[in-house]
Amino acid sequence: MSQGKSKDVISITVEFSGGLEMLFSNQRKHILSIPTKDESGEASNVAFLVRYLCEDVMQDNRRELFVLDDTVRPGILVLINDADWQLEGEDKYEIQGGDNIHFLSTLHGG
Amino acid sequence: MPPSLCALCKTSRAFILRPKDHQKLCKPCFISVFETEIHHTITSNNLFHRGERIAIGASGGKDSTVLASVLKTLNERYNYGVELILLSIDEGIKGYRDDSLETVKRNAKQYDMPLMIVGYDELYGWTMDQVVEQVGKKGNCTYCGVFRRQALDRGAAKLGVKHVVTGHNADDVAETVLMNLLRGDLPRLSRTTSIVTSTPSAVSSPDSPSHTNIKRSKPLKYAYEKEIVLYAYHKSLDYFSTECIYSPEAFRGSARALIKNLERVRPSAILDIVRSGEDMARLVPGGNEACSNGCSGQTALPEEEEGGCGSSNGRSAGGEMASMEHQLAQNDIATEVGLEIEITSSSLNGQQSGKKKDPDAVQLVNGKKGRRLKGPAQTPRKTARQTMGQCKRCGYLSSQEICKACVLLEGLNKNRPKNNIEVSSYAPEQEHGHMNNATNAMQKLQLGVD
């Protein structure tokens, strides 16, 4: 969570709720600066963000509660600026500065 | 990707993609459509009648919170004329239920509804914390599920309410349909797909307690879990989403995970499964009592029905796919050894037998006729119609002499550890003849040390 002011990072807000916050230090809202480009030099998309979250943000080692088969676990809704990610191209959506990406679980509690 | 416009108002930006029909909706249109569909479910099934007092089984979780919010909205909008009361069960789980009950208490204020909390400790003399201390974490969900069902009925009886609504959603029902299909349990399939169930007043004894005739319904039966969560999110409802500490991650390796995977591939799958379950239920001979007396989609549900975890809407506690596989393997072995008897298809031809209350129909299912000794295996099912009576101990409706809760309680009480062991109270043989050896030995050991 380095606050680099260089052009190589974009600042976004990532939220976890519906029980998912327990995997992320019980913190609902995270202000993050993520690289503008992914590992292969492409613009960072949601798929990259999910990998980034697993590697650099998640403290909990139960990664499979968040990711399954290399994508967000079925039952976890992803909202990009409040819109269903299915309306935005799912994990191919290219992240813009200031975006709010919300991971909202339907799996916990009842 | 340019933002899409709402399919209904055609002016605002779409935020929601509906799983059932891929319709793109803006927030206000989604809220309105979601509520209207619940209203339609309620009116087309005649769930409520004017003047009725209705208890909402409220856990503080997403489903019951949305149910309470929507019912309040609809009751005011369409003037149902019903009185809504929140009914919560306190299982006695520290660090879980005590927190979620705080949510329910806030909901009671937010929705201006009276709230009643009934505790396992007052009803059964045991909190779930104590049960787990006794039986361990494995299998404790069975206790919780059995106790819960009665607890809701008893709570309703205390309130003088004859109707309890629960937050079971389409995902819950689809999961139950799948599990009952895999188990081959057709009678239960029939009962659990029903939107209204009731513990029938089969016993007409004058001292029959009122908690034996309480109607249950599921107004959210056709609502996707996804939409329930989105509704709560877009309306900023206050709900609790922590997992029960005794069955965390219940969704792993469960039928639930299967449902969610199906939804990812084809979102309409969930409602398709619910509808298929209903269609199949209609073909179960003798399974749907209601069709023989008025066909209102109402069916009897004995208390043994919900064995699983209560707090997650009867959702199973995970790992059941593995145990199912084990059972199927066992069935295969049985086939090879020739232990199984097939029930011919003619016996399951329920079209005609299901309509009339035909005692033969039931017999057919029991395999009395049409037995064959060879052929593909099918587990013979005991589908004998349950005759409802009352538990001899507590008076609760039961198909057995002693209801399941009392059986579980008996086991618990037998093994209840004696807390304050003193020499003066040492008369265990007389008082507790059934005390098990381990406890006995422990007592003696303690006495020895003292």
Side-chain angles (χ1 to χ4, degrees):
Chain A
M1 276 191 255
S2 57
Q3 275 294 345
K5 286 282 173 199
S6 79
K7 278 187 173 173
D8 304 337
V9 295
I10 31 178
S11 177
I12 56 166
T13 306
V14 177
E15 286 185 67
F16 302 98
S17 64
L20 260 186
E21 56 273 35
M22 72 170 178
L23 297 178
F24 296 88
S25 359
N26 274 316
Q27 191 186 328
R28 204 185 141 111
K29 201 172 210 168
H30 298 248
I31 312 284
L32 301 178
S33 293
I34 64 160
T36 44
K37 307 273 185 206
D38 69 9
E39 306 90 336
S40 49
E42 302 288 319
S44 295
N45 58 18
V46 173
F48 169 74
L49 173 67
V50 169
R51 288 198 295 278
Y52 178 86
L53 290 172
C54 285
E55 276 151 34
D56 295 353
V57 183
M58 194 190 292
Q59 304 288 326
D60 202 290
N61 56 14
R62 289 172 295 172
R63 187 179 291 196
E64 72 282 4
L65 296 188
F66 179 49
V67 171
L68 203 69
D69 301 326
D70 290 329
T71 186
V72 179
R73 189 182 178 99
I76 296 174
L77 310 178
V78 186
L79 304 177
I80 298 171
N81 301 319
D82 257 8
D84 193 321
W85 73 333
Q86 290 175 293
L87 296 170
E88 305 284 336
E90 300 197 32
D91 62 3
K92 311 260 183 326
Y93 172 83
E94 288 177 10
I95 294 169
Q96 314 293 313
D99 273 352
N100 178 304
I101 317 281
H102 191 145
F103 297 91
L104 173 52
S105 180
T106 66
L107 298 169
H108 306 269
Chain B
M1 209 179 264
S4 355
L5 288 181
C6 171
L8 292 181
C9 66
K10 310 222 185 331
T11 50
S12 307
R13 187 185 154 195
F15 280 91
I16 289 104
L17 182 70
R18 300 203 72 193
K20 63 189 258 185
D21 55 9
H22 292 91
Q23 203 175 32
K24 296 170 183 173
L25 296 180
C26 68
K27 292 178 197 176
C29 287
F30 165 70
I31 300 287
S32 152
V33 162
F34 182 85
E35 289 167 351
T36 307
E37 287 184 1
I38 309 294
H39 170 63
H40 179 74
T41 305
I42 291 168
T43 50
S44 61
N45 290 284
N46 296 315
L47 292 188
F48 304 158
H49 60 79
R50 186 164 293 278
E52 196 174 17
R53 295 175 75 224
I54 297 165
I56 301 171
S59 67
K62 55 183 164 35
D63 302 298
S64 55
T65 303
V66 165
L67 182 62
S69 167
V70 170
L71 289 188
K72 179 184 171 62
T73 305
L74 296 179
N75 192 29
E76 288 166 4
R77 182 179 303 160
Y78 297 103
N79 191 18
Y80 292 159
V82 295
E83 186 187 335
L84 299 165
I85 302 156
L86 295 171
L87 172 59
S88 287
I89 307 301
D90 183 359
E91 297 91 345
I93 304 175
K94 283 214 171 57
Y96 168 65
R97 187 52 89 209
D98 44 356
D99 292 344
S100 62
L101 283 175
E102 290 307 311
T103 312
V104 182
K105 285 176 192 164
R106 287 197 301 275
N107 289 159
K109 284 202 189 106
Q110 289 153 0
Y111 305 142
D112 191 25
M113 289 180 195
L115 163 67
M116 176 185 241
I117 300 173
V118 190
Y120 279 8
D121 53 350
E122 60 177 292
L123 288 179
Y124 306 109
W126 289 82
T127 65
M128 275 311 291
D129 284 336
Q130 292 167 328
V131 171
V132 170
E133 205 175 299
Q134 177 97 291
V135 306
K137 285 195 184 183
K138 209 178 166 192
N140 79 83
C141 299
T142 306
Y143 288 82
C144 199
V146 169
F147 288 171
R148 165 176 285 264
R149 181 164 179 87
Q150 285 204 8
L152 273 176
D153 284 352
R154 289 174 193 277
K158 264 190 179 180
L159 287 166
V161 166
K162 294 219 144 276
H163 187 174
V164 178
V165 291
T166 56
H168 291 89
N169 59 43
D171 296 51
D172 295 324
V173 177
E175 180 183 344
T176 321
V177 168
L178 271 190
M179 288 312 295
N180 286 323
L181 269 183
L182 290 170
R183 291 191 186 111
D185 193 340
L186 296 177
R188 188 176 294 191
L189 175 79
S190 159
R191 288 190 292 263
T192 51
T193 50
S194 202
I195 192 160
V196 178
T197 54
S198 69
T199 42
S201 50
V203 211
S204 54
S205 80
D207 54 0
S208 164
S210 53
H211 59 69
T212 58
N213 188 20
I214 286 164
K215 174 174 155 190
R216 292 279 188 105
S217 68
K218 320 190 242 279
L220 302 181
K221 184 190 167 190
Y222 299 109
Y224 275 74
E225 186 154 75
K226 174 180 175 178
E227 296 200 341
I228 288 172
V229 170
L230 285 176
Y231 182 88
Y233 175 71
H234 290 302
K235 284 205 79 169
S236 308
L237 300 185
D238 180 8
Y239 70 91
F240 184 82
S241 53
T242 304
E243 304 226 26
C244 174
I245 51 174
Y246 295 135
S247 74
E249 300 155 35
F251 54 87
R252 300 170 92 177
S254 63
R256 192 58 159 204
L258 179 60
I259 291 284
K260 293 294 186 191
N261 283 321
L262 284 173
E263 183 185 23
R264 178 66 63 86
V265 179
R266 194 168 65 99
S268 63
I270 291 180
L271 270 189
D272 293 343
I273 292 171
V274 174
R275 302 282 185 197
S276 306
E278 291 172 344
D279 289 344
M280 284 182 275
R282 237 170 266 134
L283 299 175
V284 177
N288 202 337
E289 306 270 338
C291 273
S292 55
N293 43 26
C295 213
S296 58
Q298 180 168 331
T299 182
L301 191 69
E303 43 94 30
E304 284 86 357
E305 282 312 306
E306 286 169 26
C309 165
S311 66
S312 52
N313 274 343
R315 173 183 317 176
S316 41
E320 71 269 21
M321 297 307 275
S323 59
M324 183 71 65
E325 205 163 303
H326 175 73
Q327 202 193 323
L328 289 174
Q330 294 288 319
N331 286 355
D332 284 347
I333 294 167
T335 320
E336 279 164 29
V337 191
L339 296 174
E340 307 261 335
I341 297 161
E342 196 207 1
I343 305 162
T344 60
S345 55
S346 65
S347 66
L348 287 170
N349 188 358
Q351 286 291 9
Q352 140 199 35
S353 43
K355 276 181 195 155
K356 279 181 266 165
K357 227 180 183 175
D358 181 2
D360 282 336
V362 179
Q363 291 219 329
L364 281 169
V365 183
N366 281 335
K368 293 258 160 90
K369 288 180 191 170
R371 282 192 180 190
R372 226 196 270 163
L373 285 171
K374 277 186 271 177
Q378 220 170 349
T379 318
R381 283 278 144 201
K382 280 195 179 171
T383 53
R385 182 168 301 181
Q386 281 161 313
T387 40
M388 284 299 151
Q390 277 178 285
C391 170
K392 288 201 170 142
R393 298 240 170 101
C394 69
Y396 191 81
L397 184 98
S398 174
S399 57
Q400 309 293 320
E401 224 167 71
I402 309 290
C403 78
K404 204 158 181 181
C406 285
V407 171
L408 290 176
L409 271 179
E410 189 180 12
L412 286 172
N413 289 334
K414 263 184 198 169
N415 296 316
R416 180 153 226 165
K418 310 269 287 173
N419 287 329
N420 305 311
I421 298 164
E422 287 163 32
V423 182
S424 59
S425 71
Y426 182 57
E429 260 71 14
Q430 285 85 7
E431 278 180 29
H432 304 273
H434 300 298
M435 186 179 293
N436 74 6
N437 290 334
T439 318
N440 245 332
M442 273 223 330
Q443 272 195 334
K444 280 174 185 153
L445 200 72
Q446 291 227 352
L447 285 166
V449 172
D450 289 347

